[in-house]
Amino acid sequence: KAGVTQTPRYLIKTRGQQVTLSCSPISGHRSVSWYQQTPGQGLQFLFEYFSETQRNKGNFPGRFSGRQFSNSRSEMNVSTLELGDSALYLCASSSRVGPYNEQFFGPGTRLTVL
Amino acid sequence: DAKTTQPNSMESNEEEPVHLPCNHSTISGTDYIHWYRQLPSQGPEYVIHGLTSNVNNRMASLAIAEDRKSSTLILHRATLRDAAVYYCILLSNFGNEKLTFGTGTRLTIIP
């Protein structure tokens, strides 16, 4: 099985712009979660989707949004980029929801905001 | 969210067992204990998880204290590929489970 794929792998944007990141989960996985990882804050949960519905949301401003399509692929969007949005954005997929399931992470998208 | 405490760093010799401790004194009865690791320049990787009983898989073993206030991840024979940051995380069973990583333990393997 192919793993979780994320595109693009690297992205450079300037303040005020918006960005869309894409995640393709492992085939058959219907749950997709997004995380932001920075050296200072560690890995923080953004949101989780299951069958096109947002199940959970972390403590991020409304500039961060996401969606999931019927084929389970997911996108996250960040509008009005700020310097502090520079981070590694990770996507993880799981076959089911629940605290007993393992999540499979993609390689991440490294976003740099100048 | 229940918190976990791990040592910042540990070292181990190659081909020797490694015991990575994690304290979670505020764990609730329905919290699952998960371990993930992150190799340099990669996304996190699932290692193992458990609820009450000790667990084994092809990667590692998880020993859970009887009172569940602590757990230990055991790598039976460390290799250089096991050098990574290891995270101990608690996930609750109330529908709002989400991985929250702390600072983890940076494991260095000495050849």
Side-chain angles (χ1 to χ4, degrees):
Chain A
K1 263 187 185 177
V4 177
T5 58
Q6 293 186 244
T7 56
R9 291 293 310 278
Y10 302 92
L11 205 51
I12 298 176
K13 293 284 188 179
T14 56
R15 277 183 300 174
Q17 288 187 307
Q18 77 163 19
V19 67
T20 299
L21 311 181
S22 181
C23 170
S24 292
I26 291 172
S27 177
H29 285 193
R30 294 163 62 192
S31 171
V32 173
S33 298
W34 288 90
Y35 298 85
Q36 181 197 66
Q37 187 172 37
T38 59
Q41 299 293 323
L43 196 143
Q44 295 185 286
F45 172 80
L46 280 156
F47 24 67
E48 179 196 6
Y49 289 88
F50 182 79
S51 293
E52 302 179 67
T53 301
Q54 189 180 89
R55 286 190 72 244
N56 285 312
K57 190 176 190 306
N59 297 321
F60 279 80
R63 301 185 296 107
F64 292 82
S65 63
R67 59 178 176 169
Q68 186 180 33
F69 302 96
S70 58
N71 62 358
S72 294
R73 190 177 69 84
S74 178
E75 288 181 348
M76 68 162 281
N77 184 76
V78 188
S79 62
T80 321
L81 283 167
E82 300 177 0
L83 294 179
D85 296 334
S86 294
L88 180 67
Y89 289 88
L90 291 157
C91 164
S93 77
S94 182
S95 58
R96 301 175 296 172
V97 295
Y100 32 77
N101 295 307
E102 61 182 280
Q103 293 196 23
F104 296 84
F105 282 81
T109 294
R110 171 84 53 194
L111 171 65
T112 302
V113 182
L114 303 176
Chain B
D1 291 336
K3 291 192 172 182
T4 63
T5 305
Q6 300 176 253
N8 287 334
S9 62
M10 290 183 64
E11 286 186 352
S12 178
N13 293 320
E14 194 178 8
E15 299 187 5
E16 289 187 357
V18 182
H19 290 234
L20 297 164
C22 180
N23 286 320
H24 28 79
S25 58
T26 60
I27 191 171
S28 74
T30 55
D31 283 341
Y32 284 76
I33 303 162
H34 285 246
W35 284 82
Y36 281 76
R37 70 181 185 182
Q38 190 168 20
L39 280 65
S41 303
Q42 294 187 27
E45 174 186 31
Y46 167 83
V47 178
I48 199 167
H49 78 274
L51 183 61
T52 56
S53 304
N54 294 344
V55 185
N56 300 296
N57 66 19
R58 63 176 179 80
M59 288 182 69
S61 295
L62 176 61
I64 301 173
E66 197 169 330
D67 63 5
R68 301 210 323 128
K69 293 183 184 297
S70 65
S71 60
T72 302
L73 178 70
I74 303 166
L75 306 178
H76 295 287
R77 195 164 166 270
T79 69
L80 295 178
R81 291 188 69 252
D82 292 321
V85 179
Y86 286 78
Y87 298 96
C88 168
I89 305 123
L90 302 181
L91 290 179
S92 66
N93 196 21
F94 287 104
N96 62 346
E97 62 280 357
K98 48 187 179 286
L99 291 175
T100 301
F101 286 52
T103 54
T105 297
R106 182 172 298 277
L107 176 65
T108 301
I109 304 298
I110 302 168

